[in-house]
Structures are given as structure tokens and as C-alpha cells.
Amino acid sequence: MDKTTHFGFKTVAESEKAAKVADVFHSVAKKYDVMNDLMSGGLHRVWKHFTLTTSGVKAGDKVLDIAGGTGDLSRGWAKRVGKSGEVWLTDINSSMLTVGRDRLLDEGLILPVSLADAEKLPFPENYFDAVSVAFGLRNMTHKDAALKEMCRVLKPGGKLMVLEFSKVWKPLSPFYDFYSFKALPVMGKLVANDPDSYQYLAESIRMHPDQETLKQMMLDAGFGKVDYHNMSGGVVALHKGYKF
Ligand SMILES: C[S@@+](CC[C@H](N)C(=O)[O-])C[C@H]1O[C@@H](n2cnc3c(N)ncnc32)[C@H](O)[C@@H]1O
């Protein structure tokens, strides 16, 4: 009997989750960027900007952007590492990756792009100075395996940055719940004609490990030290894991 896991609030066989997540992102890819701006009121740009500016990534670094989707972080990494560096835009979903690749090309950025599952990364060990995963870990079936892979491909001294929805400050919860479960699916219906994908978004956030649990998961995956920074009252947290 297959083990089970969560797909939002539903319990599904582990073997089914990746295909369900793939359906979500094939469906939303073309409207993903506009929905991101709309749903977060532009805040996702601030969260990503904070990730980039506090990363310590510098000219010449090698950076892997996992679950990079439409390429927001990859674009930021490319500007930071310059011509002497290397940035890989990767994602498991061809629709998201196509939108991301085309968008970066339109901006004159030619990066290596790879269709890659975070749970089985096609990169050698000890290769990257930094690895990022923004709003991607939540969707992965075996988060422990994915975190181990992220640790494996980092050089000793390298850093993983996990930007992800997290546990909100309690007084904010009623407002956040109302917004997530009432407003988001309506926006998803009106803009992307896909309320179900945005219902999944709200549910998957609630099922994702909180700040301390994720920190422990990163330590268990092999990181020597992990710290995190809450943003927007814990709506989002940036975890940084350091490979010793
Ligand atoms: C919410 S989007 C985030 C895109 C981008 N990082 C951003 O912050 O805008 C989540 C992405 O995770 C990707 N994803 C889900 N499971 C994955 C896996 N196992 N390996 C790699 N990417 C995965 C999805 O295809 C999707 O593009």
C-alpha cells in the first residue's frame, strides 16, 4: 500500500501528489505573475528583494534556483553574480519554466535552464555557492529528500535560502484565513479562471511546517546551522541553512 501525504487538505497517495501539483502549475503558468502581484499586493517582490539583498551572493558565484518558475529570483541572482558567475533556473514544471525562460530572454538574460526535480537534482555535489527555493518546497512530496539534495549540491560554506509561506502571528490569523479562503479563490476564478488552484494554495500553506519545524528539518537534512527571519507577521519566512 502506497504511503499517503497531503495535497492541500486532501490525503492522497504519495505517488499521486507530484502529478496533482503539476496540474496546478500547468494551469496557472500563464497568469502566475499577474496573480502573484494581485494576491500579495506586490509584497512578493519585497520578500524576494529581501532574500536577494541579504544573501551575500557576489560576483562570480554559482547559484542554483530550484522551483524557480517564472524566474524572479534567477533574474536577481544573475544581476548579482555577473558574467563571471553561473545561475541555473530550474523547475519540475515545463509550463512554468517556459514562461520563465521566455521572460528572461525578453529581458536579454540567457541563463542555463533545466527541467529538474528537486528530489533528484542533476548536479554534482559541492558545486554551488548558494541554492534558493522560493515558494516551492511546500509543493514537494518528499521535502526531506529535497532538502538533502540541496545540501548535497552546495559547497561546504555554501548557503540554502528557503523563502516560503509560514505560520502567521496569531492575532493576524482570522483576517489571513478570511483572505485566503474567501478572497483568493474568487480572484483565482476571475483572473485565472481557476479557483481550485488558489484553494490549493491556501490549503497547502496551512499544511506546511511552521518556522521551527522547518528549521529542524533543515538541520536533519545536514545543514550545520539554520536561522530564519519572519516577514509580514510570519506570512512568509526566509530560512537560511549553512553547509559546514
Ligand atoms: C509557487 S511556484 C514558485 C515559483 C518561483 N520560485 C517564485 O517564487 O515565483 C512553485 C514552483 O515549484 C515547482 N515545483 C513543485 N514541485 C517541485 C519539485 N519536486 N522540484 C522542482 N520544482 C517543483 C512548481 O512547478 C512551481 O513552478
Side-chain angles (χ1 to χ4, degrees):
M1 166 79 186
D2 200 357
K3 282 200 214 157
T4 57
T5 187
H6 300 291
F7 174 73
F9 290 163
K10 295 189 190 76
T11 300
V12 298
E14 276 193 354
S15 56
E16 291 171 355
K17 174 159 170 166
K20 289 185 178 296
V21 170
D23 287 346
V24 167
F25 289 102
H26 284 309
S27 165
V28 302
K30 289 210 168 80
K31 297 281 184 187
Y32 179 81
D33 289 322
V34 69
M35 278 300 289
N36 256 2
D37 276 335
L38 202 64
M39 286 182 312
S40 72
L43 270 177
H44 77 104
R45 293 170 185 260
V46 177
W47 301 328
K48 288 169 180 163
H49 181 74
F50 182 82
T51 305
L52 293 164
T53 52
T54 64
S55 65
V57 167
K58 56 188 187 316
D61 278 356
K62 295 192 177 88
V63 185
L64 172 62
D65 187 14
I66 293 178
T70 58
D72 280 348
L73 282 186
S74 288
R75 180 209 289 112
W77 298 136
K79 287 185 180 150
R80 280 185 157 64
V81 305
K83 290 219 181 320
S84 58
E86 189 176 315
V87 175
W88 284 80
L89 168 61
T90 70
D91 199 287
I92 200 171
N93 188 286
S94 58
S95 303
M96 291 292 282
L97 210 49
T98 302
V99 173
R101 180 202 58 193
D102 291 353
R103 199 175 149 218
L104 296 184
L105 278 177
D106 287 347
E107 295 173 17
L109 278 174
I110 304 173
L111 303 183
V113 174
S114 168
L115 196 66
D117 182 351
E119 297 181 19
K120 292 178 228 100
L121 290 172
F123 298 100
E125 57 192 63
N126 303 334
Y127 187 78
F128 292 100
D129 298 287
V131 172
S132 61
V133 55
F135 306 108
L137 186 66
R138 197 181 66 249
N139 301 293
M140 294 171 193
T141 308
H142 304 101
K143 296 175 184 53
D144 50 350
L147 290 170
K148 278 188 187 142
E149 277 291 87
M150 296 174 201
C151 192
R152 179 183 68 76
V153 300
L154 274 169
K155 289 177 187 168
K159 185 190 296 170
L160 168 66
M161 286 156 281
V162 183
L163 181 64
E164 189 53 271
F165 293 106
S166 205
K167 183 94 177 163
V168 292
W169 185 46
K170 211 157 183 224
L172 288 181
S173 290
F175 308 101
Y176 187 52
D177 283 348
F178 178 82
Y179 180 73
S180 307
F181 291 107
K182 300 289 179 211
L184 275 190
V186 174
M187 283 183 200
K189 166 90 183 107
L190 292 177
V191 179
N193 196 23
D194 182 2
D196 294 349
S197 291
Y198 290 90
Q199 177 75 23
Y200 163 72
L201 168 67
E203 293 180 5
S204 67
I205 291 170
R206 300 314 186 281
M207 302 309 288
H208 190 63
D210 64 16
Q211 287 85 338
E212 283 294 323
T213 309
L214 178 55
K215 176 177 175 176
Q216 190 55 50
M217 287 168 69
M218 290 170 71
L219 290 168
D220 293 345
F223 290 92
K225 176 180 164 238
V226 177
D227 51 41
Y228 63 83
H229 181 89
N230 284 317
M231 289 183 264
S232 308
V235 169
V236 161
L238 173 63
H239 283 68
K240 290 184 185 165
Y242 303 84
K243 179 169 172 179
F244 286 178

